[in-house]
Amino acid sequence: MTGVDASAPGGDRFEPQHVVVIGGGMAGLVAALDCARVGIRVTVLEASDHLGGALRAEEIGGLTVEVGAESFATRGGTVRALAESVGLGDRIVTPNPEGAWVAAGKGRMASLPKAGILGIPSSPLADDVRAVIGWGGALRAYLDRVMPVLTVGTEHDLGGLVTRRMGRAVRDNLVAPVTMGVYSSDPEALDVTFAAPGLNRALTKAGSLSGAVATMRAASRAGSNVEGIVGGMSVLVEAIVRELEHPWGVEIHRNTPVSALERDGDGWLVTVTDTPGPDSDGSGTGETDSAIRADHVIVAIPEAPALGLLSRLDPSLSDVTPIDPPRVDLVTLVLDDSRLDAHPRGTGMLVAPTAGLTAKAMTHATAKWSWLAENARALAPHRHVLRVSFGKAGENTVGELGDDELVALAVRDLSTMLGVELDPASIVAAKRTTWAGSLPGAVTGQRARSESVRERILAIDGLDVTGGWLAGTGLAAVVPDALASAGRVRHRVAQRVLGEMAPDAAAPSAD
């Protein structure tokens, strides 16, 4: 949809519309792909040498291991559809159904109850619930069934709702571990409407919180809530880039930050700084500034640089203060220990704030993904990959620790979580990765704020915006947002092309 095919009558009079995508994270790549697939000329500009944003793999201990997102939520089906569209349908897999455990207060460690939503149990007296919160906590939670029914209205404070209906034990030991693991946020920071879509409606119908959860689970689609890709999620990035470059011929420029964006007639001039590395004589950085002309621009970079760029076009945007994103420190360990072959804590562990641990979660990656276990066993019979994450919104939990100190802390917390005293000598390799994520869309007020900012940006003609800071965390939020952004741009491209064609269509015949 880039104009008229050159083989059509008069087609050589029309130049293809050019879309520049600023940012080569997942939002930018998905938007670029959606535009390129309809024939639009696309250029992607990425400031770093890495494409894919939070999807990244590195070699650790002889294994290619994901050090960013290692799965995707299945809700909406958009991520699966994307993977299938780039030829990865036969590589989509579900995790080991063993599931995760939870480290609760009073030293309790047990399987995370499966019949719940965000940790909220549908059956408070179930054995797996009592294993986590004990009889006292379970009986208090059961009072939800006999308390006055919830009336018509909208609940917002997830933590307040859970505590009021089911008690502190459920909030601290079941719900908080999930919200910290998924959103890096306390339950009180999350809006029920967005953290658990449909729960408010179910509350009105069921009259109790546990009843509402049971109703929602009964109506939900069977199957895993998350899926992965054999080889890791970074394989998805590689497949998208491969299609962008061949057959669509999309130009992808790494190490090319955008320094300015300004109007140029009915289009744009995008000023970039090319940083190819040292000059041929070894001096300097070889940086050069140049300008790229575009008909349309999609801004797909994090909030702070996006607002810095766009506030020059709309000075009122300078009043928007970027939100400090949650910092997450991830320690990935590759180690040899036969005691882990039995998966002592399933596929991982979420941590309650009352558990006395610094880590917020642990993933036993070789227990969760069979393909990774096979790769690990090919190197050594008892080799395992474990990921330990630290961090909470508004707190710099371990930022002051050096890499060695953080790895030592991870080993100590892992020993407690696994119930196995790990020997530091068993560690083959360790890697620390620090991520600055996006504030989850489920945080109270964030959805309204992001939509307000987006509306102001979209008022700038010929420009669109997408990314996790607007859509929320996770591929299941980012991918449809990027597709919506690309869809708006495709519509404008079509309108402009049809407008250029209209005079010819209305002109009298030369005959």
Side-chain angles (χ1 to χ4, degrees):
M1 202 177 293
T2 63
V4 179
D5 186 82
S7 64
D12 57 351
R13 297 178 56 190
F14 294 91
E15 289 294 325
Q17 293 277 292
H18 183 204
V19 173
V20 167
V21 179
I22 302 174
M26 280 302 294
L29 293 179
V30 170
L33 182 62
D34 199 52
C35 289
R37 280 176 168 170
V38 295
I40 298 172
R41 179 187 166 208
V42 179
T43 299
V44 177
L45 306 173
E46 167 56 38
S48 73
D49 62 356
H50 169 70
L51 298 173
L55 303 190
R56 182 197 292 265
E58 296 195 20
E59 184 175 312
I60 305 174
L63 287 166
T64 299
V65 179
E66 296 298 316
V67 295
E70 43 97 43
S71 62
F72 61 89
T74 58
R75 69 178 184 276
T78 52
V79 184
R80 170 179 267 271
L82 171 66
E84 290 174 339
S85 76
V86 293
L88 299 177
D90 60 348
R91 297 180 67 169
I92 297 174
V93 292
T94 56
N96 181 343
E98 281 185 67
W101 282 44
V102 61
K106 300 181 180 179
R108 289 193 178 103
M109 296 195 184
S111 295
L112 187 69
K114 290 181 168 55
I117 292 176
L118 287 178
I120 306 169
S122 60
S123 179
L125 298 181
D127 291 345
D128 55 359
V129 174
R130 288 188 287 105
V132 179
I133 61 175
W135 268 110
L139 289 170
R140 168 61 185 88
Y142 187 76
L143 288 179
D144 167 62
R145 292 292 182 95
V146 298
M147 290 170 70
V149 298
L150 288 161
T151 55
V152 175
T154 301
E155 296 282 349
H156 291 289
D157 177 351
L158 177 67
L161 171 65
V162 172
T163 303
R164 189 168 65 253
R165 297 294 304 190
M166 291 189 162
R168 194 77 190 183
V170 170
R171 183 267 180 210
D172 289 350
N173 298 291
L174 291 174
V175 177
V178 175
T179 63
M180 282 298 302
V182 175
Y183 298 111
S184 297
S185 299
D186 289 322
E188 288 73 20
L190 303 182
D191 189 322
V192 173
T193 302
F194 303 114
L199 183 58
N200 268 309
R201 184 170 59 254
L203 285 169
T204 300
K205 290 182 178 180
S208 68
L209 182 53
S210 55
V213 170
T215 299
M216 290 179 65
R217 287 193 58 85
S220 65
R221 181 175 63 89
S224 175
N225 292 325
V226 298
E227 292 177 330
I229 297 174
V230 173
M233 291 303 298
S234 56
V235 171
L236 178 59
V237 178
E238 296 167 2
I240 293 172
V241 171
R242 191 161 51 245
E243 182 176 333
L244 284 172
E245 294 180 332
H246 312 285
W248 303 121
V250 171
E251 294 183 27
I252 301 176
H253 299 275
R254 299 169 176 82
N255 298 310
T256 308
V258 173
S259 56
L261 182 61
E262 57 185 306
R263 283 287 190 189
D264 180 41
D266 60 354
W268 298 92
L269 279 182
V270 184
T271 302
V272 301
T273 302
D274 298 308
T275 55
D279 293 332
S280 57
D281 63 358
S283 63
T285 63
E287 291 187 356
T288 57
D289 286 343
S290 59
I292 299 173
R293 193 185 188 284
D295 297 293
H296 307 271
V297 172
I298 297 175
V299 177
I301 52 180
E303 180 177 19
L307 291 174
L309 197 63
L310 297 173
S311 61
R312 301 173 194 173
L313 301 170
D314 180 358
S316 72
L317 289 171
S318 61
D319 294 336
V320 180
T321 303
I323 292 176
D324 189 22
R327 168 181 170 142
V328 174
D329 286 88
L330 177 70
V331 175
T332 304
L333 296 170
V334 176
L335 53 83
D336 293 325
D337 194 321
S338 61
R339 295 171 297 176
L340 303 185
D341 296 348
H343 307 165
R345 296 294 185 259
T347 59
M349 179 165 277
L350 299 172
V351 179
T354 54
L357 298 167
T358 306
K360 69 169 186 173
M362 173 272 289
T363 301
H364 190 165
T366 39
K368 188 172 184 178
W369 305 109
S370 60
W371 62 266
L372 182 58
E374 291 172 6
N375 292 348
R377 285 196 299 268
L379 296 177
H382 306 296
R383 184 147 297 178
H384 293 269
V385 178
L386 297 117
R387 294 160 36 113
V388 189
S389 56
F390 303 84
K392 175 183 175 182
E395 295 182 7
N396 185 2
T397 311
V398 295
E400 300 302 318
L401 296 181
D403 291 354
D404 291 343
E405 293 174 303
L406 185 59
V407 169
L409 175 59
V411 171
R412 289 197 299 272
D413 277 3
L414 271 173
S415 295
T416 301
M417 287 188 275
L418 292 167
V420 172
E421 191 66 32
L422 296 176
D423 182 357
S426 69
I427 298 173
V428 176
K431 173 73 177 181
R432 176 187 194 165
T433 312
T434 300
W435 294 100
S438 301
L439 193 68
V443 168
T444 301
Q446 173 61 11
R447 188 69 60 93
R449 174 186 180 275
S450 63
E451 289 309 313
S452 173
V453 173
R454 189 201 299 270
E455 185 177 345
R456 293 165 65 180
I457 295 171
L458 294 184
I460 304 172
D461 186 47
L463 188 144
D464 215 292
V465 63
T466 183
W469 66 280
L470 293 167
T473 55
L475 287 177
V478 169
V479 170
D481 193 80
L483 292 173
S485 176
R488 290 188 292 267
V489 170
R490 288 166 53 185
H491 179 69
R492 288 197 293 270
V493 167
Q495 286 183 314
R496 185 173 295 185
V497 170
L498 290 173
E500 292 173 355
M501 294 174 63
D504 279 358
S509 170
D511 296 331

